[in-house]
Amino acid sequence: MMDESTELSVSITQIVQRLKGTHLHSQLEKQAKECLHKPEIKLETLKDDVRRVLKASGWERKLQNAVYRELHVLPPPGHPRAPPEHTKEPLAYMLKAQASWEKRILKSLNSMCTELGIPLARKRPVMEQKELTNKWNEMGTDEPDLSNFRPVYAPKDFLEVLIGLRNPNTERSDDLTVKSHWGLIQVSLNVHDIPQMRETYAELGLSYGQLGIDDHTHVPPDLFESEHIHIGKKVVSEQDSAAAQQYSRQGCPTGLRAQLWSLILNTTNDPEDITHYEQLKARVIHHNLLVDNLIYKDVKLTASNDDYYFVFEDYLYQVLLCFSRDTAVLEHFNYNSASPPKSSIQSKSGSEQCAVVYPPNGVIPFHGFSMYVAPLCFLYNEPSKLYSVFREMYIRYFFRLHSISSHPSGIVSLCLQFERLLQAHLPQLFYHLREIGAQPLRIAFKWIVRAFSGYLSTDQLLLLWDRILGYNSLEIVAVLATAVFAFRAENLMEVTSLASAEAVLADLSTLKVMPLLQIFLFATSI
Amino acid sequence: MSAESVSCTVKSPVALQIGDAVSDSSRPGVYITDITLAEPVNIQEISFKNFYTAYLTVRLQRRHGSTASKWVTCLKNYCLMGNPHAEAGSHDYFSIYRQQMSTEPDNVTTVRLILRQPSSEWLSFSIEEINIYPCTKEDSERDVPAWLSTLTPVDEPLDLKGLPDPETVSSSIQQMWALTEIMQASQTAASIGRFDVEGAYDVKLLSYT
C-alpha cells in the first residue's frame, strides 16, 4: 500500500500525461497565447494574470472537469511492483475464469462464421457502400434474413459461468454445508450490509428530498421540487462535473437530465466529437462485420419489441455500429478483466501477418446489449451526442456487467450483494424460494445484467441511473433487485415453483424505484 | 525504490498449531517465516505480494557490535485484509517502509514475519515475492523523494487537522512537474484510431491465445 501523498503524485503524473496532447490541452495553450495581447496582462505577474484570464473565461472549469473525469475512469494507481494484469483483476482465479469464458465466446463466433461461410470482416463493394450511405437513417426498414444468426450468448449462459466460479483456496462442496454459501455465488467478495449502505447512500435517506418521491403530484412543488430544479439550473450554468454528480444523487429533473448527465460524464459535442462520429460512420460504410448481424439481430429481438424503445430502432443501429468501430474503446481494457479478441491478417504489401483486434472496439455484443443504449435515446436526439454519452457510460459502468471480476461494481459482487442482502433481511423468503428450487438470483440476474433497462418504465429507469451516476457505482442495482423481492415478499411466500415465482415478478413496469430503495435502505429494521 | 533488493534466504513457513498437524482437521491460523540476510542490512523497505494473510507482524534480529543479537518487534498486526473473510487485499502488493516501523531497522540479520489469518474460509495463506531493499547511502539522500520522510508511523494517530498550506502544496507540485517531464520523454504517439492494416481488414478467424 502506498501512502496518500505518493498516490497523489502518481495520479497527478498519470493525469497530466493523459491530458497532454488532447484537444483540451491545445485549446488551453491557444487561449493562453491569445490572452497575451490583452492590456490587463502584465509581464511581472504574467503567470497569475494568464491564470486569472483562463479562470474567468471558464477554461479552468473545463480543465477541472477533464481531471475529474480522469479520476473516475483511471483505476487508482497500484503498487509500483504490481504487474499490469493486477490492475485488470487482482484475483488469479477470476482472470482465469474470464479468459476461459472469452475462449468459449470466440469458439462460438468462429464456428458461426465457418458454418455460415461468412467472413468475420470484409470490405464492402462500392455499390453496397453507396446503398448503405443512402439508407443510413432508416436501417430499420431493412429486413435481412438473420434466422441463421444466433446471439453469441445470453445472460442465462453467463449466470451459469458465475455460479461455477470457485476460489481454489477455499473448500466448497455442492451440498449445503457450513462451508458453502446459501446462494448461487460461491466466492467471498466484499459486500456491504445495510448500516454501511446507510452511510454511503445518505442522500437517499428519509430526511432528504428525492425526485421520484417528492415530486409526486400530491406533494406541493414548493416543498422540494421547485427549489431542486432551481439548483439544477445553477449547476448546469456553472458547468461543474463534481457538482452535477452530487446533485444527481437526489435525482435529475426531466428537463435538465440530458445536460446534467453529459456534464457528469464530461462528454462534449464539439466539432471534433462530431468529426469523430462521422469517421466512425465512414468506417461502418467501408467494412462489413459479422458482429453487425449480431447487433441487428439483438436490436430486433429486444428494443424493437419493446413498447418504449421500438421507435429508436434506427438510432440504436447507428450508435451500436459506430461503437463497434471505435478503437478508443480499447483503452478500457487496461482496467477491465476482459481482453479484446485478436486475429491476424495478411498485410497487403508483404506476406507478414499483422495482429488486429476484432471487432475494432474489442467488445462482442450479447443478447440484450442494445438495451444499454436504448434508454439514452430518450435524452439525446443528436446521434453524435447520444454516441459519446453511451460510450462513456459503457467504459465507466456497463462493461462491468458482463466481465468476471472482483470489482465492487462487477457483476459477481452485485450478484453476491443481492443474495447477501436478501438472506440477511428476508431469510424466510430466501429459504422458501431455495426450497422450491427458485433461487432468487435466477430471477434477478436478468435485471442486474441490464441495470434494469427494459424492465422498469423509462422514467423510473432514468431515476435509477441518476443514482448510478451520482454515486459512481452499480451497487444500487443490486439493492433495487433486493428491494423488489422485499416488496413482493408476501406473494412470493405463497408460490410453489420457479415458474410461479417468475410470474409474480414478471412485470416491474408499475414499480416506483425510489420509494422501494428508500424503504429498503432506511425503513427496514436491522 | 530503484535500488536492488538484498540477497536473502526465505525459509519455509512454520505453522503454529495445537495438536497434530497431519491428523487434525483444523487448519493453523498463524505461520512464521524467517528470512536470513547474507550480511547485516539497514532496511529501507520490505515489499511482498499477499496471499490471503490478514495481519502481519514483523520482528527483527539486530546485531549490536559483538553483543548478542536481540529480537525486537517493529510492526504489529499490520492489516492486509480489511475483512479477513472476504477477498479484498488477498492478492495485493504491499510495501512496509522504514518510517512505518517502530524501531530503526538497522544492522538487521534476520527478519521474522508472523502471518495471521483468523478466518477459516481459506485453505492456506502466505506471502510471496518477498524483497528487502536497503537504505540508500547518506550522500545520495537528496534523491530520496520527500514523501518518504513524511510517512506517518503506524502507531501514531493521523493528524487530520486542517488542510495543507497552499504554499507547501505548490512547492511539492514542482517535484511532480519533474516527474511529469520524465513521463513525457517516454510518451508514445497518440492513437490515430485506425483498425485496418493499409486499408485491409479481412478477418477470417479469431485466435485463441
Side-chain angles (χ1 to χ4, degrees):
Chain A
M1 286 285 116
M2 283 188 292
D3 76 314
E4 271 172 42
S5 57
T6 329
E7 208 172 291
L8 180 70
S9 63
V10 173
S11 295
I12 293 179
T13 318
Q14 255 181 351
I15 291 169
V16 171
Q17 190 196 16
R18 284 174 56 97
L19 294 182
K20 274 238 155 192
T22 58
H23 185 62
L24 177 70
H25 181 239
S26 59
Q27 276 177 313
L28 279 170
E29 244 174 22
K30 202 174 137 213
Q31 291 295 323
K33 267 181 203 156
E34 272 172 18
C35 76
L36 291 180
H37 305 296
K38 292 189 178 174
E40 68 259 34
I41 307 283
K42 306 267 187 314
L43 195 61
E44 306 83 62
T45 52
L46 183 69
K47 217 169 168 179
D48 292 334
D49 287 349
V50 171
R51 251 185 225 157
R52 204 172 305 124
V53 170
L54 289 179
K55 189 173 182 162
S57 53
W59 284 98
E60 190 188 65
R61 188 48 60 69
K62 284 192 183 163
L63 180 61
Q64 273 175 11
N65 290 346
V67 170
Y68 197 63
R69 184 224 173 232
E70 296 300 326
L71 285 174
H72 274 92
V73 175
L74 284 177
H79 191 279
R81 271 177 274 275
E85 309 91 79
H86 201 263
T87 316
K88 285 172 84 72
E89 169 56 47
L91 306 183
Y93 71 92
M94 287 268 179
L95 263 185
K96 214 172 131 194
Q98 172 64 30
S100 69
W101 168 240
E102 281 165 22
K103 204 166 165 180
R104 257 180 69 183
I105 298 173
L106 297 192
K107 275 189 180 160
S108 152
L109 255 186
N110 270 346
S111 65
M112 195 188 312
C113 80
T114 326
E115 274 167 38
L116 303 177
I118 314 175
L120 286 164
R122 64 174 177 88
K123 200 169 181 121
R124 291 184 208 272
V126 181
M127 272 309 289
E128 198 183 314
Q129 291 190 16
K130 270 190 188 153
E131 218 176 292
L132 184 60
T133 316
N134 290 334
K135 61 165 198 203
W136 180 256
N137 289 318
E138 46 193 53
M139 282 188 273
T141 55
D142 221 18
E143 294 279 340
D145 177 26
L146 296 171
S147 50
N148 289 327
F149 289 94
R150 49 178 198 277
V152 183
Y153 67 94
K156 260 199 299 201
D157 311 313
F158 189 47
L159 176 60
E160 292 307 321
V161 176
L162 301 188
I163 293 172
L165 273 177
R166 292 289 181 278
N167 179 344
N169 195 32
T170 56
E171 209 177 347
R172 289 274 189 269
S173 61
D174 288 334
D175 309 319
L176 185 63
T177 66
V178 71
K179 289 276 175 206
S180 61
H181 294 171
W182 265 35
L184 293 173
I185 300 295
Q186 294 293 327
V187 293
S188 302
L189 300 178
N190 297 61
V191 290
H192 295 121
D193 55 21
I194 287 194
Q196 286 168 327
M197 288 192 179
R198 283 184 185 172
E199 277 179 40
T200 314
Y201 299 102
E203 294 87 349
L204 303 186
L206 302 168
S207 55
Y208 284 81
Q210 279 314 313
L211 287 188
I213 297 175
D214 302 294
D215 52 341
H216 195 273
T217 39
H218 67 243
V219 183
D222 39 321
L223 279 181
F224 168 70
E225 200 185 355
S226 314
E227 177 66 9
H228 191 64
I229 292 175
H230 178 69
I231 298 171
K233 284 179 182 155
K234 226 170 147 179
V235 169
V236 170
S237 74
E238 287 287 317
Q239 284 296 302
D240 186 329
S241 288
Q245 182 164 40
Q246 178 65 35
Y247 179 83
S248 184
R249 294 179 172 192
Q250 285 167 278
C252 296
T254 314
L256 298 173
R257 186 175 277 123
Q259 292 172 70
L260 286 165
W261 282 20
S262 105
L263 190 54
I264 297 171
L265 297 166
N266 198 36
T267 57
T268 48
N269 202 27
D270 296 335
E272 296 72 36
D273 301 297
I274 297 167
T275 318
H276 178 67
Y277 182 75
E278 289 301 320
Q279 277 172 348
L280 295 175
K281 186 176 153 184
R283 289 181 202 155
V284 175
I285 288 165
H286 286 150
H287 287 96
N288 184 12
L289 307 185
L290 179 89
V291 292
D292 296 356
N293 296 310
L294 299 174
I295 292 169
Y296 272 115
K297 180 99 180 183
D298 185 48
V299 173
K300 293 271 181 218
L301 286 176
T302 58
S304 301
N305 286 329
D306 191 292
D307 290 349
Y308 299 109
Y309 302 125
F310 72 96
V311 285
F312 300 123
E313 194 180 347
D314 294 324
Y315 276 170
L316 294 176
Y317 293 131
Q318 291 171 23
V319 166
L320 287 167
L321 292 178
C322 286
F323 182 65
S324 69
R325 268 69 165 184
D326 194 346
T327 54
V329 179
L330 292 174
E331 210 177 60
H332 92 285
F333 288 106
N334 291 332
Y335 51 90
N336 179 354
S337 62
S339 296
K342 291 189 182 66
S343 180
S344 59
I345 57 170
Q346 298 266 321
S347 75
K348 255 183 188 170
S349 49
S351 55
E352 58 178 318
Q353 294 280 314
C354 297
V356 291
V357 171
Y358 181 90
N361 70 347
V363 181
I364 294 175
F366 61 93
H367 182 64
F369 193 85
S370 45
M371 295 309 277
Y372 292 142
V373 191
L376 301 173
C377 297
F378 275 101
L379 302 182
Y380 306 96
N381 52 21
E382 206 175 324
S384 64
K385 185 90 194 161
L386 171 64
Y387 177 76
S388 52
V389 169
F390 164 66
R391 189 182 72 180
E392 195 65 19
M393 292 280 275
Y394 184 82
I395 64 164
R396 285 199 196 191
Y397 309 109
F398 296 145
F399 78 88
R400 300 208 184 273
L401 295 172
H402 45 264
S403 305
I404 304 170
S405 86
S406 61
H407 192 277
S409 275
I411 186 72
V412 190
S413 298
L414 298 183
C415 290
L416 186 65
Q417 179 76 70
F418 162 75
E419 292 193 326
R420 288 280 170 86
L421 283 176
L422 205 55
Q423 285 159 16
H425 297 281
L426 297 149
Q428 282 177 320
L429 175 64
F430 197 97
Y431 183 77
H432 170 70
L433 291 173
R434 197 181 179 282
E435 284 301 290
I436 61 164
Q439 271 278 4
L441 185 60
R442 292 219 181 265
I443 301 168
F445 188 74
K446 54 183 182 296
W447 307 334
I448 299 175
V449 90
R450 285 190 192 174
F452 280 95
S453 174
Y455 294 102
L456 299 170
S457 65
T458 45
D459 59 327
Q460 295 300 310
L461 183 82
L462 296 173
L463 287 168
L464 176 70
W465 286 15
D466 279 345
R467 274 71 183 186
I468 294 178
L469 288 166
Y471 291 98
N472 192 36
S473 160
L474 289 162
E475 192 181 56
I476 200 82
V477 171
V479 182
L480 179 63
T482 321
V484 170
F485 272 75
F487 185 61
R488 295 267 188 249
E490 252 177 71
N491 305 70
L492 288 170
M493 284 303 284
E494 316 250 301
V495 302
T496 49
S497 69
L498 175 63
S500 45
E502 273 175 336
V504 168
L505 296 164
D507 183 14
L508 309 186
S509 65
T510 55
L511 297 182
K512 301 278 179 242
V513 299
M514 291 324 296
L516 284 185
L517 283 171
Q518 205 173 51
I519 292 167
F520 185 74
L521 283 176
F522 293 93
T524 305
S525 57
I526 48 172
Chain B
M1 190 129 315
S2 54
E4 291 277 308
S5 65
V6 296
S7 77
C8 56
T9 320
V10 180
K11 293 189 182 154
S12 50
V14 180
L16 203 68
Q17 195 171 27
I18 301 167
D20 185 37
V22 183
S23 62
D24 264 10
S25 59
S26 71
R27 293 190 289 269
V30 180
Y31 278 102
I32 296 160
T33 303
D34 277 357
I35 305 159
T36 49
L37 300 162
E39 50 184 41
V41 173
N42 297 349
I43 297 173
Q44 174 60 41
E45 176 192 351
I46 303 172
S47 87
F48 57 90
K49 187 185 182 193
N50 189 23
F51 185 78
Y52 294 102
T53 303
Y55 304 102
L56 173 72
T57 296
V58 182
R59 300 198 57 170
L60 306 171
Q61 194 172 34
R62 294 183 297 181
R63 175 175 294 172
H64 285 294
S66 54
T67 55
S69 309
K70 243 174 86 180
W71 281 103
V72 285
T73 304
C74 70
L75 190 71
K76 201 165 179 184
N77 284 340
Y78 184 70
C79 180
L80 306 180
M81 290 167 75
N83 173 0
H85 304 291
E87 294 274 7
S90 65
H91 285 62
D92 283 359
Y93 286 78
F94 291 90
S95 278
I96 311 288
Y97 296 101
R98 175 183 189 88
Q99 289 79 1
Q100 287 167 283
M101 302 182 189
S102 55
T103 39
E104 300 259 289
D106 292 335
N107 289 314
V108 177
T109 51
T110 317
V111 177
R112 175 168 290 174
L113 304 175
I114 302 167
L115 320 179
R116 291 170 206 270
Q117 177 47 274
S119 173
S120 59
E121 174 81 11
W122 321 108
L123 292 174
S124 69
F125 61 95
S126 61
I127 65 174
E128 299 161 350
E129 301 176 31
I130 304 167
N131 278 302
I132 296 177
Y133 297 87
C135 267
T136 41
K137 288 192 185 72
E138 290 287 311
D139 55 345
S140 62
E141 203 171 38
R142 61 191 178 84
D143 289 340
V144 180
W147 49 263
L148 276 181
S149 56
T150 60
L151 277 169
T152 322
V154 226
D155 285 343
E156 265 179 45
L158 279 165
D159 182 18
L160 295 170
K161 274 178 284 165
L163 288 163
D165 167 32
E167 284 304 313
T168 333
V169 174
S170 78
S171 70
S172 66
I173 298 277
Q174 301 293 332
Q175 188 203 328
M176 293 164 190
W177 174 252
L179 266 172
T180 318
E181 291 297 308
I182 299 166
M183 297 288 280
Q184 248 185 65
S186 59
Q187 197 180 15
T188 51
S191 149
I192 48 162
R194 293 193 73 92
F195 55 83
D196 51 297
V197 178
E198 295 163 28
Y201 190 67
D202 297 318
V203 182
K204 301 235 161 44
L205 280 179
L206 299 170
S207 38
Y208 294 141
T209 46

